[in-house]
Amino acid sequence: MDHSMDFPVQEHIIHKKSVLCENVEISKEQGGEGHNYWNIVYKRHNYEDGTLHAKLYTTRSSIYREQISDYESKLSYLRSILQEVEKELAQYSSKHQSEMTDIQKLVELNTLYTRLISRLLSERLSPEVFQHLVDAKAYASGGSEAVEKMYLEVVREDEIQEVFNVLLLGETRSGKSTFIEFVKKYADPDYTIDLNNIGDGISPCTKGVIRFPVHTDLPIASVVENASGPGPREDYLESLINDWPVLHDFENALDRRKDVKTIRIPSSESPTQYQFNLFDTPGLNGTYGEDEVDVANIYKALRVAGHIHLVLVAIGKAFTPGFQAVIKCYFDMLPELHGLTAFVHTHVDYKDLHPAQEGVDSYLPRKIRSLDDMIEGDLCPHFAIDCDLNTTKPIRDCISQHAIRNILSLALSNKPVAVKEIQIYKSPKMKATDKILVDKYRAILDAQRETRSFKDETHGTTFWKPNETNAYLEELRSEERDLEEYIEEHDTSDSVTIYESSFDEEWKVFHRVKIHHMEFPNQEHIIHKKSISSSNVRIVEVQGGEGKSYWRIKFRRHCFRHGSLHAKLYTTKAWFHRKPLSTHKSRLNQLREILNSNWQLTQLISRLSDEKLTPDVFLRLVDEKAYIRTPSENSKIVESAYLDITRNDKAELLEQATA
């Protein structure tokens, strides 16, 4: 007999089909690829088992065509608006900031919907995106809202992953701003270097922290010889050194202009367009030598960035002891950035990189050794670049572009550090200032040791110990915590067993029934509750019990029966441990009297002795200009600031306790 399969007329167009059959003859087929229906008639061969398995497929663009059509209409609408807005954009001035913000939002929406449509039209998924969609059960309900929501999250994550933050530090006139101009030129060959962004070589160029966004897909610069010779080379410097082992010939090759030109090869490793945010900062030596203020300003700027991928320290021609001390100070205060740190030497003649120069007492190897010694135990990458704005030599320009690409690639490979999680360590000047105040407060506490001594049977007489104030106060706080834990655990109404007894007697022939008794004699414990379970027993008399310090009971077994009685008496944990609790509470009150009467001093000593600072406290101290003078001059301002901070701390604690 004939059989049939039918895919009725639907909204989906059949893209392809798969039909597997065995011992089956197909007599009729209608529809299929390119249609929205499919019908097949078939019959099994005589005397044989027959099978037929059919699968029909459509494209993802067909399934999501309504959603894509909606996005395309939105995109078309947005583009029409943008075209109209762009015609009027030149008419806006600084007084139209709100309108400019709206335009920026439209541009961002345009980019977002373009990326969203691109992902929905693609028939392939990366493993990460697929797992993301499966974990969110985006397709489980069959609705488009969940899919749209998850794809929006994926697109936004793509945007976040393409931004890398690079912090640029260096001495005044070390070439930081010039280096940034070179990076802009590398990213966009048509960019014209802005001399207004570069200092005059005398005064600092950068007054504050400035962010420069740069977009690039990290192309590889190379040199092509017009007439003859090798084609593109990824590492032209190394190839050049191998080709010209003699220093004089190598220098001539570097300066060659004839028959050579620089080209840019698209990178197969990084086809993505990345955004690098370059943060240019004031000179580390500063105009006024306010290193802590510079760190605070840098930290404020980086909090907006969220994460840091690379800290690049520019090293110029000058390498004074003062500048070395500044670098040491910065890395002492921000040790968590060591793993992200690299050095770029900005005034390097490439001829000095030839192996023939190794025997010469060159300044570059000495700088590298000094810097490596400065950052104890951490080996940081070093890069060399000749920031010569007037160079027209293709080979030198190619080497510079290689250095820039390697630096930016390092930012890609580094594991970023969250700025909000960075701990700030005190600089030597801060520690010296804080030590003056710590000694002052310790002297005050030591002077009180006679009047604040106390005595108890358990611990004996207690005094402040000279020169051990911090350690001793921490011991008191530790003891206070232990006492609080003991009291919290034992000063409760939980039950503790103080007496337990059982009676069990079998019936025996010719055995006389007699009176039995149990007794909890008059003791120091008050009975909180009792538990009595009995079987075939008659209670004759009961004395004492709950609220008493004694309990007695008389009872007898029923005749001809097996009898049993089990009794348990309880008191509270607070009553059972009342003596040690009384001692501990007395001790706790004495400790609190000492700690509370000197709470502010102990808090000040604790904060001043700590080598770390929370970002909020650090920024508060810098805003108060607490560390811009000598340690002795700073101490009054630091003391005032810390007193204000501890008062706020106490007010917050009282508010929390009241709540």
Side-chain angles (χ1 to χ4, degrees), residues 391-500:
T391 184
T392 57
K393 302 168 183 176
I395 295 177
R396 288 182 177 269
D397 178 57
C398 175
I399 296 172
S400 298
Q401 291 192 50
H402 263 282
I404 292 172
R405 184 181 189 276
N406 291 335
I407 291 171
L408 297 181
S409 297
L410 183 61
L412 295 181
S413 61
N414 282 342
K415 182 179 180 180
V417 171
V419 177
K420 65 180 180 180
E421 297 176 3
I422 294 176
Q423 290 186 319
I424 301 172
Y425 288 71
K426 294 178 180 177
S427 67
K429 183 166 65 174
M430 297 170 77
K431 291 178 182 178
T433 301
D434 293 351
K435 185 178 183 305
I436 294 174
L437 294 174
V438 169
D439 292 342
K440 173 184 174 180
Y441 297 140
R442 281 179 174 172
I444 295 174
L445 290 177
D446 289 341
Q448 295 178 358
R449 63 183 182 179
E450 296 294 337
T451 59
R452 289 296 180 185
S453 64
F454 62 90
K455 186 175 183 178
D456 64 46
E457 297 178 358
T458 306
H459 299 84
T461 304
T462 302
F463 299 98
W464 267 288
K465 304 175 183 179
N467 303 323
E468 297 180 9
T469 306
N470 261 4
Y472 181 65
L473 289 175
E474 185 54 41
E475 289 177 11
L476 292 184
R477 281 190 284 269
S478 176
E479 185 182 349
E480 179 188 28
R481 290 190 293 271
D482 292 341
L483 291 173
E484 288 173 341
E485 290 177 2
Y486 181 89
I487 293 171
E488 182 181 0
E489 180 181 354
H490 295 87
D491 193 11
T492 70
S493 59
D494 295 342
S495 298
V496 177
T497 303
I498 55 176
Y499 175 80
E500 183 174 8

Side-chain angles (χ1 to χ4, degrees), residues 235-415:
D235 194 341
Y236 201 83
L237 177 61
E238 183 178 352
S239 301
L240 208 63
I241 292 174
N242 293 332
D243 291 344
W244 306 103
V246 179
L247 179 60
H248 177 73
D249 297 334
F250 174 71
E251 189 172 357
N252 289 337
L254 284 174
D255 297 334
R256 180 181 172 186
R257 291 190 180 90
K258 186 177 180 181
D259 296 333
V260 292
K261 65 178 181 178
T262 304
I263 64 169
R264 293 159 64 85
I265 308 170
S267 174
S268 59
E269 299 175 359
S270 57
T272 306
Q273 188 81 2
Y274 298 106
Q275 176 178 321
F276 294 90
N277 291 325
L278 306 178
F279 291 87
D280 195 7
T281 61
L284 288 183
N285 56 325
T287 308
Y288 307 99
E290 300 175 4
D291 301 332
E292 292 79 11
V293 176
D294 289 341
V295 173
N297 291 333
I298 292 168
Y299 184 83
K300 289 178 183 178
L302 295 182
R303 282 199 301 188
V304 179
H307 292 76
I308 292 299
H309 298 79
L310 177 64
V311 179
L312 191 62
V313 182
I315 308 296
K317 291 181 179 179
F319 196 56
T320 62
F323 176 52
Q324 296 178 44
V326 170
I327 296 177
K328 176 68 174 173
C329 171
Y330 271 68
F331 286 101
D332 284 345
M333 294 185 70
L334 302 172
E336 293 179 54
L337 298 181
H338 286 195
L340 303 182
T341 302
F343 295 97
V344 55
H345 302 267
T346 56
H347 295 84
V348 176
D349 190 338
Y350 293 131
K351 71 176 182 180
D352 293 333
L353 303 179
H354 195 278
Q357 290 286 73
E358 291 181 359
V360 181
D361 189 18
S362 174
Y363 71 94
L364 184 58
R366 286 188 284 112
K367 283 184 180 180
I368 293 175
R369 286 193 298 269
S370 299
L371 290 167
D372 288 342
D373 292 341
M374 218 175 295
I375 304 178
E376 303 168 358
D378 292 325
L379 295 178
C380 299
H382 290 264
F383 300 93
I385 186 171
D386 185 4
C387 288
D388 183 2
L389 298 174
N390 300 316
T391 184
T392 57
K393 302 168 183 176
I395 295 177
R396 288 182 177 269
D397 178 57
C398 175
I399 296 172
S400 298
Q401 291 192 50
H402 263 282
I404 292 172
R405 184 181 189 276
N406 291 335
I407 291 171
L408 297 181
S409 297
L410 183 61
L412 295 181
S413 61
N414 282 342
K415 182 179 180 180

